[in-house]
Amino acid sequence: MKLLRLGAPGKERPAVLDSAGHTYDLSGLTHDIDGPFLANGGVERIRTALGSGELPLLDTEGLRTGAPVARPGKVVCIGLNYLDHAAETGAEVPLRPVVFMKDPSTVVGPYDTVLIPRGSAKTDWEVELAVVIGRRARYLGYPSDSAEVICGYAISNDVSERAFQLEASSQWDLGKSCETFNPLGPWLVTADEVPDPQALGLRLSVNGVRRQDGTSKDMVFDVAFLVWYLSQYMVLEPGDVINTGTPAGVALGLPDKPYLRAGDTTELTIDGLGSQRQTFEQA
């Protein structure tokens, strides 16, 4: 299934897209697609309701697509998790996952405008596979246990301001947590529709020019390991998002450093997870 939220910011309506391309209204089942709903068997409740034919069709004409999960409790990010991306930035391949946090308020819809921060000269793009947690994960025993706590997957654009990230502080957070810096969606695709998260192509174009074209098989640390690893250091709650890293092709790693400017557009796709598109404006 593909879960989504449609409507104006703060007034999104929960919905589900079935395999035939029909969109159904979930408002009678839940007020939102969020952590508490996922924690209380929300996905199975939707599956049951779909099977029984009790969900009403939803007219999507003119409706904005919001992030497929209401504001997560936390957004955990993994840096330098693709071999080619580490190489292009001149960084050593990490021996352990590089973990940083992103302000959850950065999460916006997949087609929303992204704001270039005031004083920015190095706003950059990053297409990433996002993992959405569906069950509480605390001290998982083995990486193989991760499958039990993953609800599904989505496309994430981990927008970054490189000067803020790498020059203004020893921490990365300043360059990662600017407003609108995490478009997510269009869908939360349930895990049963993604049998192998390590076999997905990731692509990103800027103004129609392909910049990133990678595959999740090139992750340094795979999804199962990352979820297990993080659970040893923090409690992962339903609705939390994990951005799992980006392949090569970011502006920081290109010879001419073509950082984003007002009016630029980015288009992102991941196999089976749909596509998203943003236009950048000055804050």
Side-chain angles (χ1 to χ4, degrees):
M1 294 185 300
K2 297 176 176 67
L3 309 184
L4 63 164
R5 298 167 64 249
L6 301 170
K11 298 180 180 179
E12 293 91 346
R13 177 178 297 182
V16 60
L17 180 68
D18 71 5
S19 58
H22 300 127
T23 303
Y24 294 92
D25 190 351
L26 296 177
S27 298
L29 198 63
T30 178
H31 75 283
D32 213 341
I33 298 170
D34 55 14
F37 177 67
L38 298 178
N40 287 287
V43 170
E44 288 310 313
R45 288 162 58 194
I46 295 172
R47 205 181 305 278
T48 299
L50 265 180
S52 66
E54 64 186 74
L55 295 174
L57 282 167
L58 178 63
D59 182 5
T60 63
E61 183 68 27
L63 291 180
R64 164 188 171 270
T65 302
V69 181
R71 179 171 171 166
K74 55 184 172 288
V75 178
V76 188
C77 303
I78 308 299
L80 304 174
N81 197 36
Y82 282 72
L83 294 171
D84 55 1
H85 176 55
E88 74 172 345
T89 60
E92 294 184 5
V93 176
L95 299 178
R96 297 175 59 163
V98 176
V99 180
F100 62 94
M101 309 293 283
K102 195 159 188 164
D103 185 344
S105 69
T106 59
V107 174
V108 294
Y111 311 112
D112 288 348
T113 297
V114 176
L115 300 176
I116 295 175
R118 296 176 185 178
S120 167
K122 298 181 179 181
T123 294
D124 207 345
W125 58 81
E126 294 190 12
V127 59
E128 306 207 5
L129 173 64
V131 178
V132 178
I133 299 298
R135 294 176 54 189
R136 198 169 195 255
R138 176 179 177 270
Y139 293 117
L140 295 178
Y142 303 96
S144 58
D145 296 332
S146 296
E148 299 300 317
V149 304
I150 295 173
C151 174
Y153 303 91
I155 303 172
S156 179
N157 191 352
D158 177 19
V159 185
S160 310
E161 211 298 333
R162 301 303 188 185
F164 297 178
Q165 175 191 354
L166 302 173
E167 301 167 25
S169 170
S170 60
Q171 304 296 317
W172 289 8
D173 299 50
L174 292 181
K176 295 287 189 173
S177 290
C178 304
E179 59 181 333
T180 72
F181 262 27
N182 204 133
L184 187 69
W187 312 311
L188 166 54
V189 180
T190 52
D192 59 294
E193 292 196 8
V194 187
D196 185 0
Q198 305 310 140
L200 303 176
L202 301 86
R203 293 165 291 277
L204 182 146
S205 297
V206 181
N207 300 329
V209 177
R210 179 67 56 83
R211 293 299 191 180
Q212 292 184 276
D213 193 348
T215 171
S216 58
K217 72 180 181 181
D218 292 335
M219 286 184 184
V220 179
F221 305 101
D222 65 20
V223 167
F225 181 87
L226 290 173
V227 174
W228 168 82
Y229 180 84
L230 292 172
S231 80
Q232 310 305 305
Y233 297 93
M234 65 185 75
V235 178
L236 299 173
E237 298 287 0
D240 285 352
V241 173
I242 302 170
N243 287 340
T244 58
T246 197
V250 300
L252 176 65
L254 294 172
D256 55 343
K257 303 289 191 294
Y259 291 112
L260 294 163
R261 299 289 182 262
D264 287 345
T265 61
T266 52
E267 297 179 75
L268 299 75
T269 62
I270 296 181
D271 294 345
L273 304 185
S275 62
Q276 56 173 246
R277 184 180 190 274
Q278 300 92 35
T279 298
F280 286 71
E281 293 183 2
Q282 192 64 49

